[in-house]
Amino acid sequence: MRRSLLPSVSTALLAGLFNLTVQAAEPTVIQLSQTGCQFVEPEEQDQHYRPLTADDCQTINSQSGAARLAASQVLRLKAGDYVFRVTNANVPYELGFWLRGSGLGRVTLPSVSGGGLTEGVTKDYAISLKPGEYRYSCPLNPTPDYVLIVEG
């Protein structure tokens, strides 16, 4: 019985044999804008808070954060490679970004974080997401812990 070798040969091996270039898929870019005490996209509107310090956000979120989070949109993505492109739209102090697993997933799922987002600055945070439940927020511009669900 004669069998073809082609199904068992990897794409990388074929590319090497035939001098082909194999392009990896580009990561999907997710754009997020931070304004005072919030990310705009999950809340679907800018609340127009104008904090001068992170403490101002603590006060604002103690009064409205739970209700805003309950009404926010859950971000749903497929497992894969992503770049979270985060912009400090108008906050007069340095911000950051933190994406991590939720619950036990905080230990088992990938995470990414960083700071340096001064007013008007945009930074990219690359991550390979696995299925599970995540939270994303800014600890420097205290925001609610928005929900991200990654499906297989």
Side-chain angles (χ1 to χ4, degrees):
M1 182 163 143
R2 197 166 176 211
R3 293 177 41 180
S4 171
L5 291 177
L6 197 54
S8 64
V9 176
S10 75
T11 302
L13 180 59
L14 282 174
L17 288 173
F18 295 103
N19 198 22
L20 300 174
T21 302
V22 178
Q23 293 276 353
E26 291 293 318
T28 301
V29 175
I30 306 296
Q31 305 246 4
L32 295 172
S33 303
Q34 279 196 69
T35 60
C37 315
Q38 75 168 118
F39 282 92
V40 175
E41 291 77 8
E43 294 191 35
E44 298 185 309
Q45 66 178 322
D46 185 344
Q47 302 292 345
H48 299 288
Y49 299 127
R50 298 291 177 244
L52 298 176
T53 68
D55 289 339
D56 293 341
C57 286
Q58 294 286 8
T59 301
I60 289 167
N61 288 331
S62 71
Q63 298 165 358
S64 66
R68 290 180 11 242
L69 184 59
S72 70
Q73 297 299 310
V74 173
L75 181 57
R76 295 183 182 278
L77 301 172
K78 297 258 185 234
D81 295 332
Y82 291 87
V83 170
F84 285 80
R85 185 162 290 152
V86 182
T87 299
N88 177 340
N90 64 1
V91 181
Y93 50 88
E94 183 178 331
L95 307 181
F97 178 69
W98 185 25
L99 172 65
R100 71 267 181 208
S102 179
L104 181 58
R106 190 154 174 196
V107 176
T108 61
L109 293 172
S111 68
V112 65
S113 64
L117 287 166
T118 55
E119 190 169 0
V121 169
T122 299
K123 287 197 171 190
D124 288 352
Y125 301 89
I127 187 169
S128 291
L129 293 173
K130 297 178 180 179
E133 188 169 318
Y134 295 77
R135 297 286 186 266
Y136 62 98
S137 63
C138 175
L140 303 175
N141 174 40
T143 65
D145 289 334
Y146 300 101
V147 178
L148 164 63
I149 304 291
V150 177
E151 299 161 345

